[in-house]
Amino acid sequence: GNSVTQMEGPVTLSEEAFLTINCTYTATGYPSLFWYVQYPGEGLQLLLKATKADDKGSNKGFEATYRKETTSFHLEKGSVQVSDSAVYFCALSDRTGGFKTIFGAGTRLFVKA
Amino acid sequence: GAGVSQSPSNKVTEKGKDVELRCDPISGHTALYWYRQRLGQGLEFLIYFQGNSAPDKSGLPSDRFSAERTGESVSTLTIQRTQQEDSAVYLCASSLMNQPQHFGDGTRLSIL
C-alpha cells in the first residue's frame, strides 16, 4: 500500500540556517504530494503541493520538488526563522489508494534565535 | 463560515461515558477524514468518507469508535464507554477528491 516516510525529529537549527526535511514515499500510481505545517497550538494547514513529476511547490520561502526517480519530496528553506518552528507533515494522495491522503509521522522543527 | 467547523471545541467527561463529536465540512467537499492526535504526536488516521463509497474504517482503534456521515454533509464521531487513553485532540478534515485537506480546529477530549 501507499506510505510516506519522513526523517525523525526533532530538528534543531539556529536562525538563518538551511533546512532540509527528507520525505520519501511509496505509491503504485502517480500521487499528488503535499507538505502541511502545524504551528504550536494551531491546526494543520497546507504549506505547499506538487501534482506531477518535476513540479516544484513553493510557499513562504519553502520549496519541495517532486522527484519520481527517487520517490522523494524533500522540504527545503534557505534561511529559517524562529517563526518557522512547527511540526511539518509530508503527505500523498493517489488514485490507486482511493484518493485517501496518507500522512507521514511529522517532523518537529525548533529554530533558535 | 467557509472553513471546517468542529464542535465542541473542548469536551471533558468521565470515564465510561459516551461522547459524540461533530464535524461540518466545507460545502461541496466529497472527502471527509477523522484523525486523532495525542499530545506531541503525529496524526492517527481513524476513518475516511469519500462520496457515496463505503467508508474506510481501517483506522478505528476499537469497536467503541464509530462514525457516520450523511451524504456529503455533517459527520459525527462517537466514542462509547470512554477510556482515559481516548484523551486526545480529534481532528476533522475535508477536501475535494485528490486535493489538499482543510482541517478544523479540533475537539480536545479529556477523560477524567
Side-chain angles (χ1 to χ4, degrees):
Chain A
N2 296 342
S3 66
V4 176
T5 302
Q6 290 182 235
M7 64 187 288
E8 285 193 30
V11 174
T12 303
L13 295 173
S14 297
E15 208 165 23
E16 299 183 3
F18 185 87
L19 168 71
T20 300
I21 300 179
N22 289 339
C23 171
T24 57
Y25 68 88
T26 301
T28 52
Y30 299 91
S32 295
L33 301 173
F34 310 91
W35 277 101
Y36 289 81
V37 60
Q38 186 175 32
Y39 297 105
E42 298 185 14
L44 275 85
Q45 58 187 275
L46 178 71
L47 180 60
L48 53 83
K49 70 174 184 178
T51 58
K52 61 182 187 297
D54 301 324
D55 268 3
K56 178 183 286 187
S58 60
N59 186 23
K60 300 182 180 180
F62 290 88
E63 293 183 337
T65 301
Y66 189 142
R67 301 286 189 199
K68 188 160 180 63
E69 64 276 14
T70 54
T71 61
S72 65
F73 193 55
H74 305 323
L75 183 68
E76 297 182 336
K77 187 173 185 181
S79 177
V80 293
Q81 305 300 311
V82 172
S83 58
D84 294 326
S85 298
V87 181
Y88 293 83
F89 294 90
C90 185
L92 71 78
S93 172
D94 178 34
R95 176 184 296 276
T96 59
F99 294 112
K100 174 182 166 183
T101 302
I102 305 297
F103 281 86
T107 303
R108 185 175 296 274
L109 171 65
F110 292 105
V111 181
K112 303 179 298 183
Chain B
V4 176
S5 177
Q6 292 188 244
S7 61
S9 55
N10 285 283
K11 176 72 176 178
V12 180
T13 193
E14 293 180 347
K15 176 182 170 181
K17 301 286 189 184
D18 297 351
V19 295
E20 190 172 277
L21 312 180
R22 177 186 171 105
C23 173
D24 284 88
I26 293 173
S27 178
H29 280 190
T30 55
L32 187 148
Y33 298 77
W34 284 98
Y35 300 94
R36 180 168 66 182
Q37 188 174 35
R38 292 199 168 97
L39 187 63
Q41 302 297 310
L43 296 178
E44 180 183 359
F45 165 76
L46 297 178
I47 188 167
Y48 165 50
F49 297 90
Q50 175 58 264
N52 295 319
S53 301
D56 178 344
K57 303 180 180 180
S58 61
L60 294 178
S62 76
D63 59 7
R64 296 187 295 106
F65 288 72
S66 62
E68 292 186 352
R69 186 183 188 194
T70 306
E72 294 182 354
S73 62
V74 171
S75 176
T76 56
L77 175 69
T78 301
I79 308 173
Q80 297 178 307
R81 305 182 302 282
T82 52
Q83 304 295 315
Q84 288 189 331
E85 66 261 26
D86 299 335
S87 296
V89 176
Y90 289 82
L91 293 169
C92 176
S94 72
S95 73
L96 296 169
M97 186 180 289
N98 207 33
Q99 294 300 309
Q101 294 187 25
H102 298 255
F103 282 82
D105 290 335
T107 294
R108 184 175 300 278
L109 177 64
S110 300
I111 309 300
L112 302 178

